[in-house]
Amino acid sequence: PDGGYAVVVGDVAGHDLRSAAEMGQMRHVIASQLALHGDPGVALESADRYFHGLREASYATVVAVVLAPDRSTFRVVSAGHVPPLALRTTDVRPIDVVPGPPVGTGLGSYTARSGALGVGESILLYTDGLIERRDRNLDESMAELASRLASAGVTEPADVLRVVRDQLDEPWRDDDVAVLVVRRTE
């Protein structure tokens, strides 16, 4: 959008072929709305109206980040999705988002938040399958992941993914996982 970059991670309910097809359709619609509007909040509102109007409505949590052309600033919006993490070497914390309802509910009102991304800093987007545990709430699990990343002191995508891979090796994992790392290099 407007010479910038958009990154999106979403999670549709289910693990079957139909769920995969629904996520593919959502990906296409959200990408086209981001290209058309540029604003992640407007794009998710449009996608929400579209999917709510289908005979068999699809629902998904989504987080969208739109980076400025120089990647120094970003806008982020969440449709019921876990917040991305900002990685600043040993300072790792969730990005402050205003969670809206999942896409497809027809209730979409999404507020984009702005942030800055320094040279060498990264943003980690992921699905709740990375941190969700039956014996712990999401905030505790997110704090544990942030602590692991901060202790490792990494922002390089390959290094971040190594820490994430260790998290994936935990025996309690029973959900699918998607992970995306965006890093500002200059």
Side-chain angles (χ1 to χ4, degrees), residues 1-2 29-39 42-43 46:
D2 296 330
V29 170
I30 291 169
S32 66
Q33 292 303 310
L34 281 166
L36 182 65
H37 300 290
D39 181 281
V42 173
S46 295

Side-chain angles (χ1 to χ4, degrees), residues 8 16 34 46 60 72 121 159 173:
V8 180
D16 57 6
L34 281 166
S46 295
S72 64
E121 296 177 349
D159 297 329
R173 178 116 14 254

Side-chain angles (χ1 to χ4, degrees), residues 45-129:
E45 285 175 13
S46 295
D48 179 58
R49 283 192 305 274
Y50 174 81
F51 286 104
H52 180 69
L54 296 178
R55 187 160 43 123
E56 290 188 33
S58 299
Y59 305 97
T61 65
V62 176
V63 64
V65 177
V66 174
L67 297 133
D70 67 358
R71 296 180 301 280
S72 64
T73 61
F74 63 87
R75 290 175 293 146
V76 60
V77 65
S78 173
H81 201 83
V82 290
L85 294 175
L87 291 84
R88 296 176 173 95
T89 313
T90 59
D91 180 24
V92 177
R93 63 184 69 198
I95 295 174
D96 184 29
V97 296
V98 178
V103 168
T105 62
L107 304 171
S109 176
Y110 306 100
T111 303
R113 290 279 174 95
S114 297
L117 190 63
V119 173
E121 296 177 349
S122 296
I123 298 173
L124 172 65
L125 294 89
Y126 55 96
T127 56
D128 64 359

